Amino acid sequence: MSVNEAILPERYSGGAPQPPLISLPITVTTTDRHLLHRQIPAVLNRYARQESWQFVCLEEVHQNKLQPTIQNLYIDEMLLKAHGPNWLFGQVRRTLASDSYFAFRVTTAENIKACIQQRLSGVSFYGYYGVHFLVRRALPKLKGFRKICRLLNAPVDMSKAEIIGRLMYNGFELVDIIETVDETLFVAKINPLNNPSESKAESNEGCLFRMQRIGKHGKPITVYKFRSMHPYAEYVQEYLHKTNGIDLGGKFKNDFRVSTGGRLIRKYWIDELPMLINLLKGDIKLLGVRPISEHYFSLYPEAAQQLRRQHKPGLLPPYYADLPTTFEQIVQSEVNYLTRYERDPVATDLTYLLKIMKNIVIHKARSK
């Protein structure tokens, strides 16, 4: 198959454009930096007729010059973080009809890393990319440096997960992602049923991350962690579950929301150290089922949900005592723990604590 054929999803058989399905990204390896841009009209025609697309520049969006009769919108300019993605996505959503498509291109953090890897290898790559990561991804997220980066108009990279999360935060659903080494095309549609930006504040991009989780009696609690995922990753969870499913250990398969550094701090539970704040506040206890999101909670059987609501979540989950592999086994492990805990809390927690310490120290059980 040629590169041109690889770029175009095989969903079109002539006649009226067919509505696309959510798919996994199509990755194209090529050294032609302008290949995707040249193919844009043909690509967009896969989703809606070419004459229904309006090509606009970013300035038209910022100056509120969009025509009120737009059917489908393509931003014919590379989107940068400095353009204010949340504001821009909000403007587009207010302009388009609910059945309209919205497309744009970004040079993602993953694109930039791939380009650097093409030019450099070995020690040279790690040295150069380490400095690049520090300047364009790590420092701009630190409170003291954020303002400096804005004043200097310094470029800041956005990951694929962050862009998808920002889209969903602003009331879009992802239709497709088409990637080359150099850039990525995102195609989205308005989600008429959900627009979190209307009720939730923008995500905190700092190192300390606050998450809404289900607490005792089903009440929401704010759980603190060191950031191991890209910003706005919490809004990508439902999409990730639909496209990738759940892997062994109860985590999502191929979870691209987790950063490279995040995988390291997760392995040794460093990301969970701030949860000691929740322990001191009394939101959680030392041993107990892990605090989970509303979406993940919805995946549990009703009986397990009811049992979970009666108890505080914990810092050390029964998972590390039983080491289940499938989602069903994890649910059963939690039900077994909570049932035993209701009969004899002290003996149950002591038994589970000893098992957890044994599995961590002797059997080297680690988080993912």
Side-chain angles (χ1 to χ4, degrees):
M1 181 168 61
S2 70
V3 172
N4 284 9
E5 290 171 332
I7 282 181
L8 303 180
E10 294 183 4
R11 302 198 192 103
Y12 188 61
S13 57
Q18 302 299 310
L21 304 172
I22 291 178
S23 69
L24 294 178
I26 300 169
T27 302
V28 182
T29 302
T30 174
T31 57
D32 186 344
R33 298 182 61 85
H34 305 290
L35 181 56
L36 179 58
H37 193 211
R38 292 201 304 269
Q39 296 291 332
I40 289 298
V43 171
L44 297 182
N45 192 47
R46 304 291 170 172
Y47 309 100
R49 293 188 182 279
Q50 190 168 341
E51 60 270 19
S52 71
W53 285 93
Q54 181 173 339
F55 284 44
V56 302
C57 64
L58 286 162
E59 186 178 357
E60 291 178 77
V61 182
H62 278 278
Q63 293 184 0
N64 201 23
K65 292 182 178 180
L66 297 179
Q67 297 177 11
T69 57
I70 294 176
Q71 287 182 273
N72 303 292
L73 179 67
Y74 170 66
I75 296 180
D76 194 17
E77 211 172 325
M78 198 68 75
L79 179 63
L80 304 175
K81 194 161 187 173
H83 294 136
N86 283 352
W87 182 89
L88 186 139
F89 293 161
Q91 282 289 95
V92 170
R93 193 183 194 280
R94 287 187 287 273
T95 302
L96 294 178
S98 59
D99 59 345
S100 300
Y101 289 99
F102 169 46
F104 58 94
R105 290 180 300 133
V106 181
T107 299
T108 65
E110 291 84 359
N111 291 139
I112 293 170
K113 184 176 182 180
C115 290
I116 295 173
Q117 282 179 315
Q118 282 190 335
R119 302 197 312 267
L120 303 172
S121 61
V123 176
S124 300
F125 165 74
Y126 288 109
Y128 182 89
Y129 184 71
V131 174
H132 177 99
F133 183 90
L134 180 67
V135 173
R136 292 183 51 162
R137 293 187 66 181
L139 291 180
K141 291 183 175 67
L142 299 179
K143 190 173 182 179
F145 286 90
R146 258 178 267 166
K147 192 175 291 185
I148 297 173
C149 290
R150 283 197 296 267
L151 289 173
L152 296 176
N153 200 26
V156 180
D157 298 342
M158 289 189 293
S159 68
K160 179 170 64 178
E162 178 179 347
I163 297 163
I164 297 173
R166 285 179 180 271
L167 275 171
M168 294 179 172
Y169 169 74
N170 286 283
F172 287 92
E173 57 186 35
L174 188 65
V175 174
D176 217 341
I177 308 172
I178 301 175
E179 296 180 284
T180 68
V181 171
D182 304 293
E183 58 189 73
T184 301
L185 173 70
F186 294 86
V187 183
K189 288 188 77 171
I190 289 175
N191 182 351
L193 303 178
N194 188 30
N195 184 6
S197 66
E198 293 180 341
S199 58
K200 296 183 179 181
E202 294 187 357
S203 288
N204 170 30
E205 298 184 39
C207 296
L208 186 64
F209 181 50
R210 299 171 180 84
M211 305 178 297
Q212 290 297 306
R213 293 292 183 259
I214 302 294
K216 189 175 181 180
H217 304 309
K219 294 180 179 179
I221 60 173
T222 300
V223 173
Y224 302 92
K225 281 191 174 186
F226 285 130
R227 180 176 293 282
S228 62
M229 291 186 175
H230 299 289
Y232 292 88
E234 62 269 32
Y235 298 105
V236 188
Q237 188 174 96
E238 187 173 351
Y239 165 79
L240 192 65
H241 178 239
K242 287 180 180 177
T243 55
N244 292 12
I246 297 178
D247 203 354
L248 296 179
K251 300 293 178 72
F252 294 109
K253 292 180 182 177
N254 303 319
D255 195 344
F256 57 85
R257 301 175 303 161
V258 184
S259 65
T260 303
R263 297 186 192 282
L264 178 63
I265 65 173
R266 279 183 165 207
K267 185 176 181 179
Y268 298 101
W269 300 285
I270 297 172
D271 62 314
E272 297 185 359
L273 288 177
M275 288 180 66
L276 294 172
I277 299 172
N278 295 106
L279 188 64
L280 294 174
K281 289 173 63 178
D283 295 330
I284 63 175
K285 57 194 186 78
L286 181 61
L287 274 90
V289 295
R290 64 190 179 116
I292 56 178
S293 68
E294 188 174 342
H295 172 259
Y296 202 92
F297 183 79
S298 70
L299 304 179
Y300 277 61
E302 181 60 33
Q305 290 184 12
Q306 291 180 3
L307 186 59
R308 257 181 161 271
R309 288 192 190 99
Q310 297 171 28
H311 298 273
K312 278 185 184 181
L315 183 62
L316 298 174
Y319 171 89
Y320 288 107
D322 300 334
L323 298 179
T325 54
T326 67
F327 174 73
E328 290 75 17
Q329 288 173 352
I330 291 171
V331 173
Q332 189 59 53
S333 170
E334 293 181 350
V335 169
N336 293 343
Y337 164 77
L338 292 174
T339 303
R340 290 182 61 178
Y341 181 83
E342 288 180 342
R343 292 198 301 265
D344 193 341
V346 176
T348 298
D349 275 359
L350 181 59
T351 301
Y352 272 80
L353 181 61
L354 292 174
K355 286 184 179 179
I356 289 170
M357 292 298 102
K358 178 182 177 182
N359 285 335
I360 291 174
V361 175
I362 298 177
H363 298 300
K364 308 297 182 183
R366 294 291 182 267
S367 182
K368 292 183 179 179

